[in-house]
Every structure is written in C-alpha cells, then in structure tokens.
Amino acid sequence: MMYIKNTIQDFVIKFKTNDLNMGEIDFTAEENESSLPVNLNGEIRFFYSHLILNDHPTFYGTFFIQIVESQDLNEILSGWRVQNDTAWHDEYIIFAERNGDVLFCDTRNITSPVYGSIQKRNFIISGSLADFLDVFCSAIEIEQSKYDGDGTDDDFNFREDFLEDIDFMLKSKLKDVEAKGFKQFFFG
C-alpha cells in the first residue's frame, strides 16, 4: 500500500504544480469512505478513499484527463454498462475521461490494472493503478521540466525528441504491450 500511497501523493503534487489545471485534488491521510457510491477494492479504493476531488479536476496539456469524482462514478458507468456487452464488466471502474474515451480499472484484481478504452475498444495500459500513476506523473514531469509544458512543434505536431523521451520512460517502467497502450491512449 506504500507504493500506491506515494504515487497518489505525487499525482496530487503534479496536479498542483500546473496553474493551467482546473478543479481541485487533495490528499487526505484519513480514509474518506462515506462517499463511495460503488463497490471498490484494492488500489482504486485507496485512490478514492484518500483523494478529495472537487470541481471536475482536469490535467491540462498533452496528458489531458479529467478525473471522475466519486459521486459521479455511477453516472459515468451507466453509459458503459450495456446489456449483452461482453467487452464490459461490472467490475470495471472508470476513473478518468479524455474527449469521450476513458481510463478504467479492473477491480477483480487487487492491483486495479488500468485499461484505456477508445470508442469502446479496450486495451491494457498498466498492471496496477500505482504503475499508471507513476508513468503518468513521469510523463507530466518530462513535458513540464524538459519541454516547458509543450511537447509540440510550431505546427502542433509532437516533437520527435519528446516522443522518444516518453517512449524511453515508458519502456523503463512498463511492459511493451502496456507502453503501447499508454501511447495509444494519449497519442492516438
């Protein structure tokens, strides 16, 4: 649980360091269990019971995502839980959204593996929520510190060196199939 706690705290710090981010994210050491409308376990439960989320927290930049607040978990899931849909399970919990695509955890596993879903096509991004938060924060760190918050060139295409730096970081932290999933979700 220490690893997930550290990655969540880093996630909060990364959020607070970019003035362009909207909404609020705070870490609380006290478990905040009363506000969980869906059945959670493992790392995703830890995530929601130790974060205070307000005003649709949104990360700005290349790795733009909007974090789903706990009170909105049921609502966002309602559009995904379709009868006879074999690709979607009730144990999937959507925790972030990006232009209609989502990031979700599979709560059947205590590590809460993270998947991306683009137009309802699902693919693995990391073996745990902690691993996802770690690479997400590392990606933001690269974009902010090395590229001054912008990994694109004058024509708004991603810079080759930026993509190479992200690729190198992902390969050092994730399995190849997961790194591919991360890039598919954020870079198309």
Side-chain angles (χ1 to χ4, degrees), residues 150-169:
D150 187 4
T152 60
D153 61 22
D154 294 339
D155 297 323
F156 302 105
N157 297 310
F158 289 110
R159 293 171 47 164
E160 275 308 307
D161 51 350
F162 173 67
L163 293 174
E164 285 166 13
D165 287 343
I166 296 294
D167 206 41
F168 182 78
M169 177 275 296

Side-chain angles (χ1 to χ4, degrees), residues 39-44 86-93 104-113 115 122:
N39 194 13
L40 301 176
N41 68 351
E43 291 187 3
I44 190 70
T86 53
W88 193 262
H89 298 276
D90 283 344
E91 297 84 3
Y92 292 171
I93 297 296
F104 67 89
C105 290
D106 185 346
T107 61
R108 293 175 295 187
N109 186 321
I110 201 81
T111 63
S112 306
Y115 295 81
N122 304 341

Side-chain angles (χ1 to χ4, degrees), residues 52-68:
I52 299 166
L53 305 164
N54 287 307
D55 301 325
H56 310 292
T58 304
F59 281 85
Y60 182 82
T62 300
F63 303 102
F64 157 79
I65 54 172
Q66 185 174 52
I67 305 302
V68 177

Side-chain angles (χ1 to χ4, degrees), residues 79-102:
W80 292 77
R81 289 185 171 151
V82 183
Q83 289 245 296
N84 306 323
D85 182 354
T86 53
W88 193 262
H89 298 276
D90 283 344
E91 297 84 3
Y92 292 171
I93 297 296
I94 296 170
F95 67 92
E97 189 265 336
R98 175 184 170 100
N99 301 327
D101 299 321
V102 297

